[in-house]
Every structure is written in C-alpha cells, then in structure tokens.
C-alpha cells in the first residue's frame, strides 16, 4: 500500500509543482506589464480557495498516513513543517465551507481576504523549513545540530522519481499556497465580467 500511495503522492506533487511554475510564470508576465486573462482571473478567484483546501488536505492526510500507519517517525524538522501545514488545511477547509454557504445568498461572491491573511504567513514560514530539510537530506553536513540523532533529519523514508521526498512534497504545498494567494491578489485587479443573478458585477 505504501509504495502505491507514495507513487500517487509523487505524481500529485509533480502536478502541483507544474501549477506552481505556471502560476509564477503568469505572475511574472503580469509584473512585467501584462494582464491576467479574465477567464484565469475568474477561475483563480472562484476556485483558488478550493484548490488550496484540496491540496493541503491531501498533504495532511498523507503526512498522517506516513507517521501513523506506515510507521515513519517524524524528525524535528518534520514537526515544524506540520505545525505550519496542518492549520492551512483546517483554515482553508473551514473557510471553503463558509464560502459555499454564503454563495447561496450571494451568487458570484469571492472568498474574503481574511483567509489569505491567515494561510499566507503559515506557508511563508513553512516553505524555508521544507527547503532546508530537503538540503539536509542531500547534504547532511548542513545540519546545524537541531535534529535528534536518533531520528535524523537527513533520513529519506520515501523517494519518488529520484528527487521527491516527504519534505519536497511539503515544500511544494507551501509554494502552491503562496502562488495561488499571489494570483488571487493579481486577479482582484483584473476586470470582472461575471455577473450575479441581480445583474450586477460580482465583487
């Protein structure tokens, strides 16, 4: 079961990574004077929160599977990443449920800014830890002594496609959250063409 799930998580990580690169490319185009295509702006604005809830939720379940079922003992850096990753999944899911309920009353409504103010700092703190963890796995000498020798941070429990490890998966999720939040911010500047049932431009 574990090899199958690792292959699945590895494939999902690749797909999310492609989305991150594409999102960064689009953000770069906008930064250099381009505009966010209206269709992309509407899609990101309406479904960005759902995408974060789904990606972070799957990542959280995968993390719990590895530690609670597969028996992989989390290292100190793993715990730090969990501290920042798990709340993202909870906050995004709760915000998504509340947003879906409000859509029944206000069709066309976009998620509130508060959710981005909550998840972005968590992802911004978690990403460098994940990057550092990946580096330690490749270069154990970079360990500054913060890891428990009995559960070394350099240990590689799983590796898919030759480079995707558990902290790589976590880092990809953190990067995805940041890129989606950036695109949502850029999309807010794009012209709105979606209309509500009352015929007014969606906020």
């Amino acid at each position: 079961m574990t090899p199958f799930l690792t292959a699945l998580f590895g494939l999902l990580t690749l797909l999310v990574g492609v989305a991150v690169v594409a999102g960064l490319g689009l953000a770069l185009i906008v930064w250099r004077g381009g505009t966010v295509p209206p269709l992309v702006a509407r899609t990101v604005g309406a479904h960005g929160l759902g995408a974060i809830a789904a990606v972070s939720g799957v990542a959280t379940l995968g993390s719990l599977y590895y530690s609670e079922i597969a028996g992989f003992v989390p290292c100190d850096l793993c715990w730090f990443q969990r501290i920042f990753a798990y709340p993202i999944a909870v906050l995004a899911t709760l915000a998504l449920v509340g947003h879906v309920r409000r859509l029944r009353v206000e069709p066309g409504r976009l998620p509130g800014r508060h959710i981005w103010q909550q998840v972005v700092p968590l992802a911004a703190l978690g990403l460098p830890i994940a990057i550092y963890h990946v580096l330690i796995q490749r270069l154990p000498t970079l360990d500054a002594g913060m890891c428990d020798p009995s559960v070394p941070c350099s240990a590689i429990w799983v590796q898919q496609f030759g480079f995707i490890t558990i902290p790589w998966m976590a880092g990809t999720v953190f990067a995805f959250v940041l890129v989606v939040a950036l695109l949502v911010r850029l999309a807010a500047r794009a012209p709105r063409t979606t209309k509500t049932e009352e015929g007014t431009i969606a906020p």
Side-chain angles (χ1 to χ4, degrees):
M1 187 63 164
T2 298
F4 169 76
L5 288 178
T6 296
L8 177 61
F9 293 148
L11 179 59
L12 292 176
T13 300
L14 280 181
L15 294 176
V16 173
V18 169
V20 169
V21 173
L24 287 175
L26 178 58
L28 179 61
I29 292 174
V30 175
W31 180 73
R32 296 183 63 179
T35 58
V36 180
L39 177 60
V40 175
R42 292 196 302 272
T43 301
V44 171
H47 304 294
L49 177 58
I52 286 180
V55 170
S56 61
V58 171
T60 296
L61 293 176
S63 171
L64 291 172
Y65 170 83
Y66 279 136
S67 63
E68 304 305 318
I69 298 179
F72 299 163
V73 181
C75 67
D76 292 339
L77 288 179
C78 291
W79 280 113
F80 281 115
Q81 290 167 77
R82 287 182 170 200
I83 288 172
F84 296 114
Y86 288 8
I88 292 176
V90 174
L91 291 171
T93 300
L94 292 177
L96 179 62
V97 172
H99 175 61
V100 170
R101 290 178 177 175
R102 286 189 291 271
L103 281 177
R104 300 173 183 175
V105 180
E106 301 178 62
R109 176 189 175 94
L110 297 180
R113 294 181 180 179
H114 69 280
I115 183 58
W116 308 114
Q117 296 169 350
Q118 294 170 354
V119 301
V120 166
L122 293 171
L125 291 170
L127 180 58
I129 296 175
I131 293 174
Y132 178 54
H133 194 177
V134 170
L135 292 176
I136 287 180
Q137 287 186 324
R138 302 305 174 187
L139 300 170
T141 55
L142 294 177
D143 183 2
M146 66 175 298
C147 297
D148 185 347
S150 63
V151 187
C153 296
S154 59
I156 299 178
W157 290 102
V158 299
Q159 183 167 250
Q160 193 66 22
F161 306 121
F163 67 97
I164 296 179
T165 59
I166 293 177
W168 185 288
M169 296 176 186
T172 302
V173 174
F174 290 133
F176 181 77
V177 172
L178 294 175
V179 169
V180 170
L182 174 61
L183 291 178
V184 167
R185 184 177 180 85
L186 294 175
R189 305 174 183 176
R192 304 291 172 79
T193 58
T194 301
K195 296 185 178 181
T196 65
E197 294 179 354
E198 291 77 18
T200 58
I201 301 298

